[in-house]
Amino acid sequence: GPDDLRLPLWVAALAGDYLAWALGWPLPRLGASAVGRWRIAGTHLADRYQQIFLIALGESILVIGVVFSGTEYSAWRAAAFGIAFATSALLWRIYFHRAGLLLTEALGRAAMPGRLGAASERTHLLVVLSVLVTAVGYELVIDHPYGPPRPSWLLFVVGGPVLFLVARMRLEYEIFGSAPRSQMIGLAALLLLTPALVHGTPMVGLSVVAGVLALVALLDALRSRRRPLEFSASPIGQEASGRPDSEA
């Protein structure tokens, strides 16, 4: 029936869309569109990226509520619910700190904003994927907060935040040309703690993840107090001083 065709049609549509993007949307006689020649509206594109991230984050919070309301109430599940919600709030805070708010400026200052826009698209794809993977971890932990150790669950509970920090460091590089020490510390901490978490309960794993993300957010806040907000200095597309924003 029609429902059976829905998934194959969506897969075909996405495959066609991404294939056209990879080839530069070639047209007869006109050829392919070169990324360096794209003229884009930085404000519009940055807003869309941020909205997609917020939608994914909202979906993760919806998952927390649905799972919690669909299970038998207990103090441990309530605690897991609270930590999962705090983790989503920390992901929001880390994303928007500095670089998350300066993408518009970076696109406006770039000599080839299309190149930076394309790079940021791939970065935000990783960001959204990391939030969705983390949401799966929320569901597992809220269902069985103090169940037996499940090493495979760490792929979601820890793997999602690890992927998020990697993508966030990539975004920082795209805006400033460097990766922040706070996020490198957080990433190293999660990777070093993972072998120990294999022997812990799911609740312990989620709590450690929340603690590491809180440390990253705290280090970011301390860095902001010590020095003013930097200007974007993206190495992608090179900076063009005095160049007005490109408009679509």
Side-chain angles (χ1 to χ4, degrees):
D3 289 341
D4 296 332
L5 295 175
R6 182 179 303 170
L7 181 58
L9 288 175
W10 270 109
V11 170
L14 287 173
D17 193 29
Y18 277 99
L19 178 62
W21 170 79
L23 297 177
W25 295 281
L27 293 173
R29 298 185 181 180
L30 297 178
S33 172
V35 174
R37 295 200 303 266
W38 289 358
R39 300 179 66 239
I40 61 177
T43 302
H44 175 82
L45 191 63
D47 284 347
R48 292 298 176 268
Y49 287 160
Q50 292 169 4
Q51 288 167 4
I52 291 172
F53 166 71
L54 290 175
I55 290 172
L57 202 61
E59 288 292 331
S60 74
I61 295 174
L62 180 63
V63 166
I64 296 171
V66 169
V67 174
F68 182 62
S69 64
T71 58
E72 183 180 351
Y73 176 82
S74 72
W76 299 125
R77 288 195 176 99
F81 170 85
I83 294 174
F85 186 86
T87 301
S88 289
L90 288 166
L91 295 178
W92 169 83
R93 177 67 177 85
I94 294 169
Y95 171 84
F96 278 104
H97 181 75
R98 294 179 179 262
L101 296 175
L102 290 179
L103 182 57
T104 299
E105 177 189 317
L107 289 166
R109 293 166 65 90
M112 290 182 288
R115 182 171 296 175
L116 176 57
S120 295
E121 177 187 4
R122 293 187 289 270
T123 298
H124 281 82
L125 179 62
L126 292 178
V127 169
V128 169
L129 179 61
S130 71
V131 172
L132 298 180
V133 172
T134 304
V136 175
Y138 295 158
E139 181 176 0
L140 297 174
V141 176
I142 293 174
D143 270 341
H144 304 282
Y146 281 99
R150 305 287 180 91
S152 61
W153 288 11
L154 295 180
L155 291 174
F156 304 99
V157 176
V158 180
V162 164
L163 181 59
F164 174 82
L165 288 177
V166 170
R168 185 58 183 75
M169 289 168 60
R170 176 183 164 113
L171 178 63
E172 192 89 6
Y173 174 78
E174 290 168 357
I175 305 301
F176 298 118
S178 61
R181 186 174 301 175
S182 60
Q183 292 163 26
M184 289 190 287
I185 291 174
L187 180 61
L190 288 178
L191 294 176
L192 290 174
L193 291 170
T194 297
L197 295 178
V198 169
H199 306 291
T201 62
M203 182 71 166
V204 170
L206 185 61
S207 301
V208 168
V209 165
V212 171
L213 293 178
L215 175 63
V216 173
L218 176 62
L219 293 175
D220 283 342
L222 293 176
R223 183 180 60 152
S224 297
R225 289 186 177 184
R226 288 197 298 266
R227 59 181 179 178
L229 184 66
E230 307 100 320
F231 290 104
S232 63
S234 175
I236 301 176
Q238 299 182 350
E239 182 175 323
S241 33
R243 178 185 174 90
D245 287 354
S246 299
E247 298 295 336

